[in-house]
Each structure stands twice: as C-alpha cells, then as structure tokens.
Amino acid sequence: MSKLKVVGEKSLTNSSRVVGLLAQLEKINTDSTEPDTARYVTSKILHLAQSQEKTRREMTTKGSTGMEILLSTLENTKDLQTVLNILSILVELVSSGGGRRASFLVAKGGSQILLQLLMNASKESPPHEELMVQTHSILAKIGPKDKKFGVKARVNGALNVTLNLVKQHFQNYRLVMPCLQLLRVYSTNSVNAVSLGKNGVVELMFKIIGPFSKKNSGLMRVALDTLAALLKSKTNARRAVDRGYVQVLLTIYVDWHRHDNRHRNMLIRKGILQSLKSVTNIKLGRKAFIDANGMKILYNTSQECLAVRTLDPLVNTSSLIMRKCFPKNRLPLPTIKSSFHFQLPVIPVTGPVAQLYSLPPEVDDVLDESDDNEDADFEAEHEVENEDDLDQNFKNDDIETDINKLRPQQVPGRTIEELKMYEHLFPELVDDFQDYELISKEPKPFVIEGKVRGPIVVPTAGEEASGSSRSVKKGAGVKEKVSPKGEEATEDARGSDRTLPQQLGGQNRAAASAHSFSSDIVKALDRITLQNVPSQVSPGVAAGMRKDCGLPLSVLSCTKACPHVATCGSTLFEGRTGQLGKLCCTGVETEDEEDSESSSSVEQASSVEVPDGPTLHDSDLYIEIVKTTKSVPEYSEVAYPDYFGHIPPPFKEPILERPYGVQRTKIAQDIERLIHQNDILDRVAYDLDNPNYATPEDGDILKFNSKFESGNLRKVIQIRKSEYDLILNSDINSNHYHQWFYFEVSGMRPGIAYRFNIINCEKSNSQFNYGMQPLMYSVQEALNARPWWIRVGTDICYYKNHFSRSSVAAGGQKGKSYYTITFTVSFPHKDDVCYFAYHYPYTYSTLQMHLQKLESAHNPQQIYFRKDVLCETLSGNSCPLVTITAMPESNYYEHICQFRNRPYIFLSARVHPGETNASWVMKGTLEYLMSNSPTAQSLRESYIFKIVPMLNPDGVINGNHRCSLSGEDLNRQWHSPHPDLHPTIYHAKGLLQYLAAVKRSPLVYCDYHGHSRKKNVFMYGCSIKETVWHTHDNAASCDVVEDMGYRTLPKILSHIAPAFCMSSCSFVVEKSKESTARVVVWREIGVQRSYTMESTLCGCDQGRYKGLQIGTRELEEMGAKFCVGLLRLKRLTSTLEYNLPSNMFDFENDLIESSCKVTSPTTYVLDEDEPRFLEEVDYSAESNDELEVELVENTGDYEPSAQEEALSDSEVSRAHMP
C-alpha cells in the first residue's frame, strides 16, 4: 500500500499521475491483487477525471490504452465499489466531449461489456440500485453511437431487464429516469420497439405521463420522448389507437398548453406533439386524430402560440401533424389526364404512354388508401451527429461504373444509304458558289409559307372602325376575317378587315377612328400625357401604330427627328431597342417621377452590349405566322405579350427575400378550409374541361383565359373573395408534368391583395422557396410604353398540399402528393388585362418570326444563312434547322476549300417546353451570329453552325411542360428514337450521324436547357475519369487516360460570362442519363465536347449578377457569350496559339477541389443544399426528377484576369459585353 501512496504524490504531474494509476490498475488485473487496491486506484482515477478535462482528454485520445484497461477491469472484477468507480469514470468521460468519446468507448467494445454487466447485475435480488442507475445512464449515452446496439441488447436479453425495472420500481424516479432513457435508445430499432410493445411498454408510458404538474417534469419529458420513439412502430401506433390514447394525448396537450403560462415546459409540450406525430403516421392514427377534433385543437393552440417566437417549434410540429392528417383529396377534375387528346400514329409497347393507354377508365379518380408514409419531415432542431457516418457510407448506384460502357463507341446506327437522306441539308459541303456573284444586296422579301388558317383573334386596343359602340371584352381584339380563297385573298383581307392597329395606319383616318375605342382602354390611354400633339389627334390615337412606319408608341408624338429609330417593319414596340426611355424624353411627359428615374437608368441597367442587328419583333408578321401554327386545341387567340413583344425592363430585379413564417401562415389558411368550411366559396371561375362553361358576370370574380399558344391553365376555383385555386393541365398524352403555367387574368380591382394557389405542381422543391418570383405582363403598362414582363408576387412559397393521386395513376408510387405554388399580387390598374407565366414565354410562332426577320435582314454577301425544315412534327408543324457561317471570300478553289473545311458546331434547344429560358439563350446566340461585329464575322469564318433552335415545337405550342405530343420526355429518347413518335430527335440524331459518317463530327455539341432548382448558368459534360473518380475508386481513376479538353469551354465561359458558374458544372455520366442528347452524342457520335448548358429560372448567387433574378437580357447575353467562348476555344485549340498560362486549365485540382458528389438517382450535384428555412419544412424526395441541391458560391464580380488577357486579342476584347 505504501508504494501506491508514493505514486499519488503531488510532486508528479497530472499526466504522469493518471498514466501511473492506469499502469497500476493494469498490473492489478494481471496479479489478481486484493480488491481494496483496485478500489483505491479507481477512486483516484475518478477524482482526476471529475476535476480535470486534461485527464479526460488523455484517456480518450487516439493511441491511449486507458479505456481498454478500465473495460478489462470492469469485465473481470467482482468488487462492487470498483465497478461503481469505473462506471462513474466512464460517465465522466462520455458526458463531455460530444459524441466522439462515446464512439471511442463503443469502438473499444464498451457496449457489449456494459450490457453483460447489466445482465449479471439483474440476477441479484434485489438488484443494486446505484449499479443499475449508472449502467443504464452510460448505456443510454453510448447506445446511439453503436449501429448494432439494438441487436446486441435484444440478443443479451437486456430489453426485459430494463422494462421490468421500470415496472417494479415505478415510484423510484431516480432509477426510472435512466431506464426510460435507455428504453428510448432500444426503441430506435423497430424489432425492439415491437417486442417492447407486446410487453406493455406503451401502456406503461401512459401511466407516467399525465396532466399538468410542476412535479417530476424531467421524468415526464423523458417518458414522452420514449413514447414518441415507440410509436414510430406501426404495431405500437395501432395499439395506442385501439386504446384511445390519441384522445388522451390531445387532452394532455391542451391541459399543458393552458397551464404553462410562462412557457417553461415547452419541451414537454413538444414531446406530446412528437408522440402525436408518430401515431399519425398510420391511417388509423390520422382517422382517430380527426375524430377527436384534433385539427381544430392544434389549429387553435398553434395560433395562440404565434405571438411568442420561442414557441415556433410547437407551431411547426403542429403544422406538420395537421398537414399529415388533412384528408387526402383528389384534384377536382374529371380526370388527371390532359384536357386535350392527340391520337398517336403508333402506340408504344412499353413505357408511361403505353401504361396510360392501358389504364382502366376513371382509375385516376381513386384515392390511394394505403399508408402514405412518404413524408420526409425535417426537424426544427437538426441533429448532425451521424453526418460523418453518412458521408463515409455515401454511394450512388446511378453512377456508371463500367468503363467499357463509358468509353465512346462510335456506331453509325444507320447505314450510309439511309443517311444520304440528309445530304440536302448540307449544301455547304458541295456548293461551288459559282452563281453567287449575282446575289442582290437587298434583303429578301418576306413570304408567308403554308396555308393561311383562321379566324384568328388579334389583340388590339379596341374594335373595328365601324362606328359601333359595342364594348370589347377585356380590351381583347376583334377577329380578323380571312377569305376562304386562302392565300390569294390574304391581301384583300388585310385591306378590308384589318385589325385596329392596322386600320389606324392612315393619318387622315386617325380622328374618325378614335371614337371606336372601348371605354376601359380609353381610360388607360388617357393616362398618357403627350406634348405637342396636334389638336386633331386624340391621345387614344397616339397609342395606335402607323402602318407605314411602325414607330413605337412613345415616338409618335415626338416633333424632333429620331434618326436612330428603325423605321422598317410594323411593330407596336421595337422589341430590341432597350432605349424606350430615351425615345420618350423629347415628346412624352412621364406619368410620375419614378419614370424619369427609370429612364435615366436604362443605360446603366443595360450592361449587355447588344450586337448590331435587325429588330426582331414584328406584330403583323407574328399574326401571320400564328395562322399557320397548328395546335391540338386549334387556338384562335393571341396573347397580348406575344403580340406586343417584350423588352427587358430598365431596372434590376433582386431575388426576393423570404419573410419568416410565410409557409406556415399559408398552411394555416389551408387548414382553415377544413375547420371553417362554410367560409369557402368553392366557385368555378374557369374550366377547360367544360366546353359549355360560361364566365361568371359577377364583378367581384376574376376572369381567366389560357386558350392561346403556349398557354397552360386548366381550371380555376374561387376559394375566398380574393383567393383562387388554379389547376394546370397535364402534358398531352400524359397524366402528369405540371409546372409550366401561362394564363390571362382580367376584371381585377386595384388595392386588393389577390392570392393565387397553383395546386398540382409535382417537383419536390422549387426556387420559388429561394427568392424566385413569377412573371406578370400588364397590357395597360404596355400601352403606357412599358411592354415588359416583370417579377411580381409576395408571400411566395412552395409546399406539399393535401391533394394526391392513386398509386396506379402515379405509376406505382404510393401516396403521390402534389405541391402548391402560392403567391399574392396587388394589381396597379383597374380592369387591366394581365398575364402570368412561370418564366418568360417564348412561343414557336415567336421563333419563326425571329428567324424570318433574321433571314430577311441579313447581308447575303457576308453571311451564309439557310433556314431549312428538319422534319414535320406529329401535329404537322415544321421543325426549323438553321445553318450559319461566313460566305467564302470568293469562288476560288482555295476559298471554297476553306469554307467547306470549317469545323461544325451543333446547337439545339427547347427539348423541354417549360424551359423557355433556353430559347432566350438561343435567341442571344442567333442574334450574335447574325450581327455585324468583327468578332461575329471572325466566328462565322471559323465554324459552320448547325442549329435546331426548338426540338419540341408541339410541346411548346400546346403548353406542355416536359413532353412532346407522344407523352414522352424527348431528352430520354436519343438512344433509340422512333421516327414516327420522336421525329425531331430521330432526324436531329440523323444529322449528327451523317456528319460522323462523312468524318465531319462537330467540334462542339451543346443542348440548351433551363434548371428549376439551381441558380446561375452551368454545364454538364461527359468524362470517364471524373465518373470513375466519383465512385471513390481512385486507383481505377488514376489508370484512365483522358483528354481533358472537355473542360476548356466551360472554363472559358466562367471567365467571360458573368452568369456562368464553373463550380456548378459536372462531368459525371449516370446510368439514368444514358439516353440524353449529351451522353448519346458523346458516346455514339464521339463528340468529346458534348454538353448540356443549364440556365437558371431564378437568378444568380455569384458574380456580377449575384442577388439578382435573371432576365431576358442576361439570358441573351449568355447566348452571345457562348459564341465568344467558341471563338476563344478556336484560338486555344489552335496549334499556333497553344502557349497557355500554366494554371489556366489545372483540371486535376479543379476536380479534387470541387468536392462534387452525386446525391440523386438522376442528377449529380454538389454537397450543400439551399440553406434550410428557420421554419420547419416538409418536402418529400419522392420525385425522381432532378433532385437538385444548391451549390457553393463561385467567384465574385467579374474582373478580366491576367489569364483572360493572355487569351484575348483586340477583336475578342471588343466583343466583351460589360
């Protein structure tokens, strides 16, 4: 004993003291010394562990043997006090230091030793209380860190030991408390929970919990946590329902809510709610909750908690429970299939369309009666202890791991004879240009192709000049009469029955026509104050358009000449000028002071240099093209925004800041519908399925319309006086894909906040939750010289609602729920006509108009421009194919050879109709390629561009979101496209196969897309090395030899395009994407630089546009910057200019530093999601489509770097768009 006392002398350091004591203890274990010695040593170690963090840290540090010595002693000693000392030491060690020390104890085998100790101690009668308290306490702490703890406890028989202790010592709160904590850990294993439930643990918990009491609140809290864990088992939940415990829980909750005035027992109240949340995971539990009036109870209590911010967890949990228990309803539709039907020429044998056609009638009217436990509830307090384990075990089976499948395999697919059908689409490869000296320098006149169809309702500002006083509905236009003689009578029709803007062309008829304006529009036009207007011209006439010059509205009153205004074409608004403010300043007084400010800021906002080129919007031409456009519903109306055109607004539109609590407020208002059903109007305001439906004449109800090209709105129900539920139409030949919307609203009153709920969206999350706003176009604002789409709406959020469809209709997915986009709008004008859209609309007719204008205005001696028809779509619309390059310098042999040997660039866009931003990017590309800038000419001289600007015309025309008329996603058909069902894909792939067959495969292929759940613009590409690297097989990755040139273009764009984000790019190939354009062109055609370029629907979180929502100006700029990037790519890949800065393309470091990880079966993304809201959110990841997460920020504001300067020359510098 004397030697042991020497070890403990204070002359030694603390470190050496604990090391020495542990050494003594280890020696005692081997020598079997008398128990007093072990008791003394362990008490000394306990004292040091209790008093010094340094000691605790040293005993649990990596490489320390202290834990093994303690556990060995615990396992071998028979001395009770020594056991208690060691247990106290272990409690001290794991009580501080977070989960790491508990994991350390588990790794040393502590779980098994302690469970065995518990079993041995239980054999004593009666068991030692202190020993049981300590053992249960430490097991409750380390159990969650042992993945197999539940199995170990069950195998050892520890479950019943703990349960019997609680039953036998029910009044001994000191012993019951750690036992309940351990029962909670046991219950995380579902088998254990069921076993405990059979032994009466649920009934036991309800003996412990009870009404409000100031005594034993700690025990009550632990019992509730244990009960919530137990009730996650369906068996236990049914047991609780059968015994009426749902009513008991509600009663107890109300009692605690009423008496806990100072909110000191919030955790108990939340524990009760957590138990309710668990029991309502089953259908019986939800029914019992409804029968017990649970909706009203939780609604009322949560509303009373709103005033106290600290009670938000109670409000959020109550909201989750109520949403879960809200009775699932089917959509108020006769069928969830599209309102429109198109008979396919061939019915697919397999796939979603085949399944749709084989469904029995009315199957989608059946509600899913199964337990839909798909809710992925995110808790307000996030436990992140297991993040490391999740990361270590992360694996995505969707990543392609077979290197043989990854390697490009150029297979023609079709024979050379079959591919010869595409020869006529490549005249540039054979033309000798001998006859081109006679080409006129004048633009070619525009000729309308195809048969004129009618009648078409043309949007105008009034009626026919007949003198009648008949009012015009919503300011909508008259129907243009078309002679039955067809094309020959077209000019007569134009002359005799013109629309109003055309009729107002003659100056001498202006005053006479002024009186025929409808009263509503005259009121709007009266707001325009004009200077120097001749007395014989009324303000209303000034809003008209001269047929002979087509000047913008704001220029008509100017007395000074405006030489910079184009006078060709017939447009109400020159869509590309962007100089509206400047044009107005000499002749028009602004309506208010804000207009003058916005006018002066036009140039500042227009940071994009628009290349010289024609004004592409022509209202008359648009109407003529619409007549030849074929839609399934045979639309006869034109939307005002498509007729007037759109120019980017002269102001910035920041990403909307989301107000705290907006989601739960909206959900509470939805729940009020169930509680206060008498307050709900439930009145149909628009119905596409009912052809006999008449628009209500009531002045208090809004009027809706979507019967125009690209329109999508199926049904509208007025819920409250100023609240409307909107239902979108499915894609044709489909029963889902609801996201795109485009519709008209009229009959509004100013000063009223109208709430719109689009209730059948499908994606599980949306950028509407992260600052995106819908778009609105006001006709009265357009007449006031502001013809633009603007971001509008407040209180915007996107959340799961109580509508669902059957598992059969959902393709086997159980309990498929819909989501709601909700936004609130106050209209500035009375009786305006406004349009709302998911994103900036860009119709098929708009594309054809733009192509016609580009063709008619280009210089044929400088620009080689061809517009061919690739094929006809299912409904008979032409799919345009555009070829753009520079004309050869002469018809000499050398120049012709240079012309023919230019590498091809193949571009496509708009395969998904709802991704309209892709068309705006394509518009920017086309305009840049057709511009007169030196860089554009250099670009044309470098490449031949083959462009399919709209791969899915039918889907665009008919307002689809994702599919063509075949009901299929065309971007999943590239592997084996069907010539009859997927003609545009079949022939686009045929063009590429033809180029490959003649050894002219494109240098770059890029498919323009839009992205609904990410910010910025970025690219997806294809890489074997990076795909293998993401499988964490670093050895295999090192063995892959691959040209890293696929990263060159994205890297260039990240330096020159402000909206582009390199860190968002990914080059992983996934199995689920094997039939997309990008992968097929890479794999089968052998194009290394094969990309999908994704543009955000929302905005940017990096670079110059950080914090701003994206607009058409930025999208068109991206299209232009893509062209500049191609020119730099040419120079970078040239053998003469390959002296690059050493760090310009450090691909390996980029690859490693990007930390890219595939988290979805369908989309590879980076680690970090958008930050979760402070309020609790309930999204399910049930949608397989694009589970995107948000990305880390890229570089800051754009500054030309030294590397970029090294890449550029004077021409490229001039091409910069500041």
Side-chain angles (χ1 to χ4, degrees):
M1 293 291 291
S2 60
K3 291 182 180 180
L4 292 175
K5 291 180 181 178
V6 172
V7 175
E9 289 298 326
K10 293 183 179 179
S11 60
L12 297 177
T13 64
N14 291 331
S15 176
S16 61
R17 286 176 67 189
V18 73
V19 170
L21 288 169
L22 288 169
Q24 290 290 334
L25 187 58
E26 186 176 19
K27 187 177 179 181
I28 292 168
N29 288 339
T30 56
D31 295 346
S32 300
T33 316
E34 58 187 47
D36 288 347
T37 309
R39 195 178 307 154
Y40 176 80
V41 173
T42 52
S43 65
K44 284 292 185 181
I45 296 173
L46 175 60
H47 174 73
L48 289 173
Q50 288 174 333
S51 59
Q52 297 172 358
E53 168 61 23
K54 184 178 179 181
T55 300
R56 296 192 291 268
R57 187 167 55 248
E58 184 177 351
M59 294 178 67
T60 55
T61 191
K62 190 174 182 181
S64 171
T65 59
M67 192 67 78
E68 287 100 323
I69 295 170
L70 289 175
L71 291 174
S72 176
T73 306
L74 186 64
E75 193 173 16
N76 297 319
T77 186
K78 304 297 183 183
D79 182 60
L80 178 60
Q81 189 57 49
T82 303
V83 171
L84 292 174
N85 287 345
I86 294 174
L87 290 175
S88 298
I89 294 169
L90 295 178
V91 169
E92 290 294 332
L93 292 178
V94 300
S95 294
S96 58
R100 187 190 66 80
R101 292 180 182 174
S103 299
F104 186 76
L105 178 53
V106 170
K108 300 299 182 182
S111 301
Q112 187 62 46
I113 293 172
L114 288 166
L115 285 169
Q116 189 58 50
L117 177 64
L118 177 63
M119 295 305 300
N120 294 336
S122 67
K123 295 174 183 177
E124 299 181 11
S125 183
H128 192 278
E129 179 180 325
E130 184 63 27
L131 179 59
M132 286 299 185
V133 169
Q134 293 279 35
T135 308
H136 279 84
S137 296
I138 194 166
L139 281 171
K141 285 182 170 64
I142 70 170
K145 294 298 179 183
D146 188 344
K147 295 179 181 178
K148 297 185 178 179
F149 184 76
V151 178
K152 292 176 183 176
R154 185 168 66 253
V155 170
N156 278 279
L159 303 184
N160 288 332
V161 170
T162 303
L163 181 57
N164 290 332
L165 276 176
V166 177
K167 290 179 177 179
Q168 294 166 9
H169 302 83
F170 192 70
Q171 300 300 324
N172 187 345
Y173 294 147
R174 183 172 179 273
L175 178 57
V176 170
M177 176 79 81
C179 290
L180 291 178
Q181 291 172 337
L182 188 54
L183 282 174
R184 181 190 177 192
V185 178
Y186 290 157
S187 301
T188 56
N189 180 292
S190 58
V191 178
N192 290 351
V194 173
S195 176
L196 289 168
K198 290 179 180 178
N199 290 324
V201 71
V202 175
E203 294 82 353
L204 185 61
M205 291 303 104
F206 277 94
K207 291 181 181 178
I208 299 174
I209 64 175
F212 177 79
S213 172
K214 294 182 179 180
K215 297 179 181 180
N216 303 316
S217 59
L219 184 67
M220 174 86 168
R221 186 167 63 247
V222 174
L224 286 167
D225 289 344
T226 306
L227 180 62
L230 287 163
L231 293 179
K232 288 180 180 178
S233 157
K234 289 186 178 182
T235 303
N236 291 339
R238 292 190 193 97
R239 190 184 303 274
V241 172
D242 292 342
R243 285 159 176 73
Y245 288 150
V246 174
Q247 177 71 65
V248 172
L249 286 169
L250 286 168
T251 303
I252 294 174
Y253 181 72
V254 171
D255 189 64
W256 280 88
H257 173 79
R258 288 175 180 169
H259 291 92
D260 188 24
N261 298 322
R262 297 188 179 182
H263 313 303
R264 292 177 177 175
N265 295 294
M266 190 191 74
L267 291 177
I268 290 178
R269 293 157 67 181
K270 186 178 179 184
I272 301 171
L273 291 176
Q274 292 289 356
S275 297
L276 281 168
K277 194 171 91 169
S278 295
V279 80
T280 51
N281 279 336
I282 64 169
K283 182 184 170 186
L284 284 174
R286 293 191 289 274
K287 183 178 184 302
F289 179 84
I290 295 291
D291 293 343
N293 204 21
M295 295 291 282
K296 190 168 186 179
I297 290 171
L298 290 195
Y299 175 79
N300 291 334
T301 54
S302 62
Q303 293 301 301
E304 292 170 9
C305 293
L306 286 175
V308 183
R309 186 72 172 263
T310 56
L311 299 181
D312 280 357
L314 302 182
V315 179
N316 295 333
T317 309
S318 297
S319 176
L320 287 174
I321 296 168
M322 288 187 285
R323 291 173 66 186
K324 189 192 307 181
C325 295
F326 203 115
K328 291 289 184 183
N329 294 327
R330 57 176 297 276
L331 290 170
L333 297 172
T335 172
I336 61 172
K337 298 174 187 175
S338 174
S339 297
F340 308 130
H341 177 70
F342 180 83
Q343 185 60 45
L344 296 176
V346 179
I347 306 300
V349 179
T350 59
V353 180
Q355 182 185 18
L356 186 72
Y357 273 81
S358 64
L359 285 178
E362 308 298 327
V363 70
D364 54 315
D365 290 346
V366 181
L367 280 176
D368 194 352
E369 296 297 327
S370 60
D371 285 335
D372 48 337
N373 293 325
E374 79 283 2
D375 292 353
D377 304 328
F378 295 116
E379 303 303 326
E381 294 86 28
H382 308 294
E383 295 184 7
V384 294
E385 292 179 337
N386 292 324
E387 275 187 358
D388 294 338
D389 296 336
L390 292 175
D391 289 342
Q392 290 171 4
N393 296 319
F394 177 81
K395 185 180 180 181
N396 189 340
D397 293 332
D398 194 39
I399 303 178
E400 183 59 75
T401 56
D402 188 338
I403 295 182
N404 292 325
K405 290 184 178 179
L406 284 173
R407 295 190 188 281
Q409 300 171 354
Q410 298 185 41
V411 180
R414 285 185 253 177
T415 64
I416 298 297
E417 288 71 23
E418 290 177 306
L419 292 174
K420 282 184 178 179
M421 65 183 291
Y422 299 110
E423 277 184 345
H424 73 284
L425 297 176
F426 293 91
E428 65 273 9
L429 294 179
V430 295
D431 203 330
D432 58 10
F433 293 90
Q434 295 303 312
D435 300 327
Y436 275 69
E437 291 179 351
L438 302 177
I439 293 178
S440 171
K441 295 183 180 180
E442 298 298 321
K444 289 184 283 186
F446 165 67
V447 179
I448 294 291
E449 299 178 2
K451 185 177 286 187
V452 177
R453 296 163 55 220
I456 299 288
V457 177
V458 181
T460 68
E463 302 181 17
E464 296 179 81
S466 60
S468 68
S469 59
R470 180 169 50 91
S471 63
V472 178
K473 171 186 172 184
K474 297 179 293 191
V478 298
K479 293 185 177 180
E480 182 173 5
K481 297 178 182 178
V482 179
S483 170
K485 295 180 182 180
E487 295 181 6
E488 297 177 358
T490 302
E491 291 301 320
D492 295 337
R494 289 184 182 178
S496 60
D497 292 290
R498 290 175 181 169
T499 58
L500 184 61
Q502 296 165 339
Q503 292 169 355
L504 296 179
Q507 180 82 21
N508 57 349
R509 291 180 293 160
S513 302
H515 300 292
S516 63
F517 278 80
S518 68
S519 58
D520 289 343
I521 298 300
V522 167
K523 291 178 183 177
L525 296 174
D526 284 343
R527 295 194 176 98
I528 302 179
T529 306
L530 303 175
Q531 289 181 339
N532 303 321
V533 179
S535 59
Q536 71 271 22
V537 180
S538 71
V541 176
M545 174 181 71
R546 297 190 181 209
K547 178 67 179 175
D548 55 345
C549 67
L551 292 179
L553 161 68
S554 53
V555 182
L556 292 179
S557 60
C558 293
T559 56
K560 298 181 181 179
C562 299
H564 56 287
V565 177
T567 58
C568 61
S570 302
T571 62
L572 188 57
F573 297 104
E574 298 294 336
R576 284 291 296 171
T577 67
Q579 304 292 327
L580 213 55
K582 292 183 180 179
L583 298 181
C584 295
C585 63
T586 57
V588 182
E589 288 183 358
T590 55
E591 291 182 37
D592 49 47
E593 295 179 0
E594 292 180 2
D595 272 10
S596 61
E597 294 175 5
S598 63
S599 300
S600 63
S601 65
V602 171
E603 190 164 0
Q604 178 183 356
S606 302
S607 60
V608 181
E609 177 188 335
V610 179
D612 297 333
T615 298
L616 297 188
H617 192 81
D618 185 328
S619 300
D620 292 340
L621 176 57
Y622 185 83
I623 295 300
E624 295 301 325
I625 291 174
V626 166
K627 294 175 184 176
T628 65
T629 299
K630 300 170 185 175
S631 62
V632 173
E634 298 185 350
Y635 290 131
S636 60
E637 299 180 43
V638 175
Y640 277 101
D642 303 324
Y643 175 76
F644 283 138
H646 159 80
I647 63 173
F651 46 82
K652 297 177 180 179
E653 296 180 286
I655 290 174
L656 189 68
E657 216 172 293
R658 179 186 174 107
Y660 179 82
V662 63
Q663 177 178 290
R664 70 183 186 196
T665 301
K666 298 300 181 183
I667 292 167
Q669 292 172 2
D670 288 350
I671 291 167
E672 286 175 9
R673 300 187 189 187
L674 188 66
I675 298 173
H676 307 295
Q677 296 185 15
N678 293 334
D679 297 341
I680 303 304
L681 299 176
D682 199 24
R683 179 172 153 189
V684 176
Y686 181 71
D687 192 353
L688 210 59
D689 293 297
N690 183 2
N692 301 319
Y693 173 76
T695 304
E697 297 299 327
D698 190 338
D700 289 337
I701 189 169
L702 294 177
K703 298 172 180 61
F704 295 83
N705 182 33
S706 62
K707 298 175 182 176
F708 45 80
E709 186 176 348
S710 293
N712 191 318
L713 181 65
R714 180 170 186 170
K715 190 172 185 177
V716 180
I717 301 171
Q718 186 181 22
I719 300 301
R720 299 179 178 93
K721 186 175 181 180
S722 57
E723 181 179 355
Y724 295 83
D725 278 358
L726 282 62
I727 303 174
L728 305 180
N729 196 18
S730 304
D731 285 4
I732 293 176
N733 275 317
S734 169
N735 61 6
H736 57 128
Y737 297 118
H738 318 96
Q739 207 79 15
W740 166 257
F741 57 86
Y742 183 19
F743 58 88
E744 173 192 290
V745 181
S746 60
M748 65 284 293
R749 298 288 180 266
I752 297 176
Y754 292 94
R755 177 183 172 186
F756 299 100
N757 311 307
I758 300 174
I759 62 173
N760 65 330
C761 299
E762 289 186 310
K763 292 189 176 183
S764 60
N765 202 351
S766 167
Q767 282 291 322
F768 281 116
N769 275 330
Y770 304 100
M772 186 169 84
Q773 295 174 280
L775 287 145
M776 187 182 82
Y777 191 105
S778 164
V779 172
Q780 291 208 24
E781 287 292 298
L783 293 173
N784 289 335
R786 291 184 286 273
W788 46 62
W789 287 95
I790 58 171
R791 304 274 188 171
V792 297
T794 57
D795 294 345
I796 300 171
C797 61
Y798 186 96
Y799 58 91
K800 187 190 293 185
N801 60 36
H802 59 277
F803 292 102
S804 67
R805 53 184 168 156
S806 69
S807 58
V808 177
Q813 298 180 58
K814 185 169 61 175
K816 178 77 173 181
S817 295
Y818 290 109
Y819 291 77
T820 291
I821 300 171
T822 181
F823 57 93
T824 301
V825 175
S826 295
F827 297 98
H829 304 291
K830 181 180 179 181
D831 293 326
D832 195 0
V833 180
C834 292
Y835 291 79
F836 289 95
Y838 182 61
H839 198 66
Y840 300 93
Y842 191 103
T843 66
Y844 169 78
S845 298
T846 299
L847 170 67
Q848 294 284 36
M849 173 186 67
H850 287 167
L851 293 179
Q852 294 281 11
K853 296 289 285 184
L854 287 171
E855 184 176 23
S856 63
H858 84 283
N859 180 355
Q861 289 188 327
Q862 186 179 26
I863 302 175
Y864 181 96
F865 178 94
R866 279 182 59 90
K867 176 174 171 286
D868 296 297
V869 175
L870 175 64
C871 62
E872 278 202 349
T873 64
L874 286 172
S875 63
N877 293 293
S878 63
C879 179
L881 170 68
V882 176
T883 306
I884 300 174
T885 187
M887 292 292 286
E889 291 185 36
S890 72
N891 54 14
Y892 290 148
Y893 176 78
E894 292 82 359
H895 291 152
I896 297 298
C897 284
Q898 189 277 338
F899 175 88
R900 293 179 181 175
N901 288 323
R902 294 169 188 167
Y904 274 93
I905 304 291
F906 201 108
L907 306 178
S908 59
R910 206 67 185 281
V911 69
H912 295 145
E915 296 168 6
T916 57
N917 45 358
S919 283
W920 289 100
V921 176
M922 180 58 76
K923 179 175 182 281
T925 293
L926 289 168
E927 287 189 45
Y928 189 88
L929 290 174
M930 297 295 289
S931 68
N932 296 323
S933 71
T935 48
Q937 178 62 20
S938 178
L939 188 63
R940 291 190 293 267
E941 291 170 356
S942 301
Y943 299 112
I944 300 174
F945 288 85
K946 282 288 182 185
I947 302 174
V948 185
M950 192 170 283
L951 279 167
N952 192 352
D954 288 344
V956 172
I957 292 167
N958 293 287
N960 284 7
H961 174 65
R962 195 166 184 87
C963 299
S964 69
L965 293 186
S966 70
E968 296 168 295
D969 182 346
L970 290 182
N971 203 35
R972 297 296 185 275
Q973 311 304 324
W974 278 80
H975 181 65
S976 302
H978 193 288
D980 295 324
L981 292 176
H982 322 119
T984 60
I985 305 301
Y986 180 82
H987 293 293
K989 184 178 181 181
L991 293 179
L992 289 159
Q993 289 173 321
Y994 177 82
L995 286 173
V998 298
K999 309 302 181 186
R1000 296 296 302 275
S1001 292
L1003 177 69
V1004 172
Y1005 171 77
C1006 191
D1007 192 19
Y1008 292 3
H1009 282 253
H1011 212 290
S1012 66
R1013 283 184 276 185
K1014 284 186 183 178
K1015 291 184 172 69
N1016 310 311
V1017 181
F1018 50 94
M1019 277 179 160
Y1020 292 146
C1022 301
S1023 163
I1024 302 174
K1025 190 178 185 71
E1026 297 197 32
T1027 303
V1028 174
W1029 185 81
H1030 281 292
T1031 64
H1032 303 293
D1033 189 351
N1034 296 325
S1037 176
C1038 294
D1039 293 338
V1040 175
V1041 178
E1042 184 176 39
D1043 180 1
M1044 304 292 283
Y1046 60 87
R1047 275 182 167 258
T1048 312
L1049 183 57
K1051 192 79 173 183
I1052 292 171
L1053 292 176
S1054 71
H1055 282 263
I1056 66 173
F1060 195 88
C1061 180
M1062 185 67 189
S1063 66
S1064 302
C1065 298
S1066 184
F1067 304 92
V1068 177
V1069 179
E1070 294 173 299
K1071 298 173 186 175
S1072 60
K1073 299 294 182 71
E1074 64 180 5
S1075 196
T1076 60
R1078 166 179 59 91
V1079 177
V1080 169
V1081 172
W1082 171 72
R1083 181 178 288 165
E1084 297 184 19
I1085 310 299
V1087 179
Q1088 182 200 28
R1089 296 180 176 91
S1090 179
Y1091 306 105
T1092 298
M1093 187 163 74
E1094 302 273 3
S1095 300
T1096 179
L1097 293 166
C1098 176
C1100 298
D1101 60 8
Q1102 54 84 45
R1104 184 195 304 166
Y1105 303 135
K1106 181 177 181 178
L1108 298 178
Q1109 295 186 77
I1110 204 161
T1112 56
R1113 179 188 288 109
E1114 292 76 29
L1115 292 168
E1116 291 183 51
E1117 178 198 48
M1118 188 63 237
K1121 291 291 190 184
F1122 182 82
C1123 295
V1124 176
L1126 290 173
L1127 188 58
R1128 295 198 175 182
L1129 178 69
K1130 171 77 172 179
R1131 290 167 181 169
L1132 285 175
T1133 54
S1134 168
T1135 56
L1136 299 178
E1137 301 183 36
Y1138 209 73
N1139 297 321
L1140 304 181
S1142 59
N1143 60 342
M1144 179 60 189
F1145 299 111
D1146 191 355
F1147 300 118
E1148 295 288 349
N1149 287 341
D1150 282 348
L1151 176 61
I1152 295 169
E1153 291 172 2
S1154 68
S1155 301
C1156 189
K1157 183 174 74 175
V1158 185
T1159 60
S1160 159
T1162 57
T1163 304
Y1164 34 82
V1165 287
L1166 297 188
D1167 291 345
E1168 296 302 321
D1169 195 352
E1170 292 275 15
R1172 285 179 178 148
F1173 314 133
L1174 293 177
E1175 57 184 305
E1176 199 165 5
V1177 186
D1178 174 23
Y1179 297 130
S1180 92
E1182 60 199 358
S1183 171
N1184 262 353
D1185 180 35
E1186 304 171 329
L1187 181 60
E1188 287 85 55
V1189 291
E1190 199 46 53
L1191 310 164
V1192 295
E1193 290 189 358
N1194 194 13
T1195 55
D1197 290 347
Y1198 170 71
E1199 294 289 344
S1201 63
Q1203 297 138 334
E1204 183 180 355
E1205 294 299 331
L1207 297 176
S1208 60
D1209 56 19
S1210 58
E1211 280 190 350
V1212 179
S1213 298
R1214 286 197 298 271
H1216 278 191
M1217 296 184 177

